[in-house]
């Protein structure tokens, strides 16, 4: 898994796509009404009909800010109950071992403590899994100096998920952020959350 060599300059920010890990989802669910005979040519499925998907984060770097939009799957899948997702979860979703978000940030000259802010578009595991990590048996925020942001309504949905989304919302990915007091809840769209960075709610 290579770090993308393509970056953009938008205002004060250098913007770069950061790969955070490969996992598998059902090909039929991903392609919807497109017949398998078409999509399997470029996206071959495994024996359980899963195709490889790559979770990515967006890195915005400025002279004063290092902002992540989403945090990917998270690199640590531990087998003990209560410590992240566990090996069974990793097997179900075909989570591939390999370099995690911290490794990819290092390739961009950043350490976890350099991240100033993390905007979570929503709390599904493939977007928020890297927001926390297991350290000596305790789940803690992955970025010790960062403030995290998420929509209040999405947090409420994650805390009491419906049957369809229950498997996507894992409490170890967001409850430690609440306990640490680093999760700021947003109510709808926000103009200038940071200079030249707006948050738009899309339904």
């Amino acid at each position: 898994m290579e770090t993308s060599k393509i970056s953009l300059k938008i205002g004060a920010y250098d913007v770069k796509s950061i790969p955070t890990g490969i996992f598998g989802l059902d090909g039929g669910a991903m392609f919807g009404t497109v017949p398998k005979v078409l999509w399997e040519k470029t996206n071959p499925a495994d024996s359980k009909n899963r195709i490889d998907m790559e979770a990515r984060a967006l890195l915005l770097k400025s002279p004063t800010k290092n902002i992540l939009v989403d945090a990917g799957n998270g690199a640590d899948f531990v087998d003990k109950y209560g410590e992240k997702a566990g090996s069974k979860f990793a097997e179900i979703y075909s989570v591939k071992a390999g370099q995690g978000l911290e490794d990819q940030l290092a390739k961009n000259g950043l350490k976890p403590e350099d991240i100033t802010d993390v905007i979570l578009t929503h709390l599904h595991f493939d977007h928020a899994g890297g927001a926390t990590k297991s350290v000596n048996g305790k789940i803690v925020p992955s970025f010790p100096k960062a403030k995290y942001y998420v929509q209040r309504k999405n947090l409420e949905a994650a805390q009491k998920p419906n049957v369809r989304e229950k498997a996507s919302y894992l409490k170890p990915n967001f409850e430690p952020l609440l306990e640490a007091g680093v999760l700021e809840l947003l109510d709808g769209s926000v103009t200038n959350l940071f200079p030249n960075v707006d948050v738009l709610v899309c339904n």
Side-chain angles (χ1 to χ4, degrees):
M1 182 171 56
E2 293 294 328
T3 302
S4 173
K5 296 180 180 179
I6 300 174
S7 61
L8 299 173
K9 180 76 172 180
I10 302 178
Y13 300 99
D14 290 314
V15 181
K16 195 164 190 179
S17 176
I18 305 294
T20 64
I22 303 293
F23 66 110
L25 291 177
D26 184 85
M30 294 298 98
F31 283 97
T33 58
V34 179
K36 183 176 182 179
V37 68
L38 295 179
W39 57 255
E40 70 179 349
K41 296 176 182 178
T42 55
N43 298 269
D46 66 9
S47 61
K48 296 182 180 179
N49 207 46
R50 299 171 299 190
I51 60 172
D52 281 348
M53 306 281 287
E54 183 171 59
R56 286 180 173 260
L58 193 66
L59 174 64
L60 286 72
K61 295 178 66 176
S62 78
T64 59
K65 290 282 189 181
N66 292 307
I67 304 167
L68 277 177
V69 180
D70 287 336
N73 291 322
D76 55 338
F77 287 87
V78 187
D79 217 357
K80 290 166 59 182
Y81 178 79
E83 289 191 45
K84 296 296 286 181
S87 59
K88 182 178 180 181
F89 178 92
E91 193 282 325
I92 290 172
Y93 289 99
S94 188
V95 177
K96 304 293 193 299
Q99 292 182 325
L101 180 54
E102 289 189 18
D103 298 307
Q104 297 298 330
L105 289 175
K107 291 183 178 181
N108 286 274
L110 296 174
K111 302 183 293 295
E113 54 266 34
D114 294 326
I115 300 300
T116 58
D117 305 275
V118 181
I119 301 171
L120 297 170
T121 58
H122 60 292
L123 295 171
H124 283 175
F125 72 84
D126 54 324
H127 291 256
T132 63
K133 63 182 179 181
S134 177
V135 177
N136 297 323
K138 183 178 181 181
I139 309 301
V140 299
S142 296
F143 309 103
K145 296 183 179 179
K147 191 77 173 179
Y148 292 73
Y149 303 83
V150 75
Q151 290 291 326
R152 184 186 305 275
K153 286 186 177 179
N154 188 248
L155 174 64
E156 292 171 352
Q159 290 173 321
K160 296 181 179 180
N162 58 40
V163 174
R164 181 176 62 85
E165 292 189 293
K166 187 175 182 180
S168 295
Y169 287 126
L170 305 179
K171 291 183 178 181
N173 291 338
F174 57 85
E175 285 192 341
L177 304 179
L178 287 167
E179 293 168 2
V182 298
L183 186 61
E184 183 170 322
L185 303 181
L186 306 178
D187 293 299
S189 299
V190 178
T191 301
N192 279 335
L193 180 63
F194 311 113
N196 299 311
V197 176
D198 299 342
V199 175
L200 179 64
V201 174
C202 300
N203 296 318

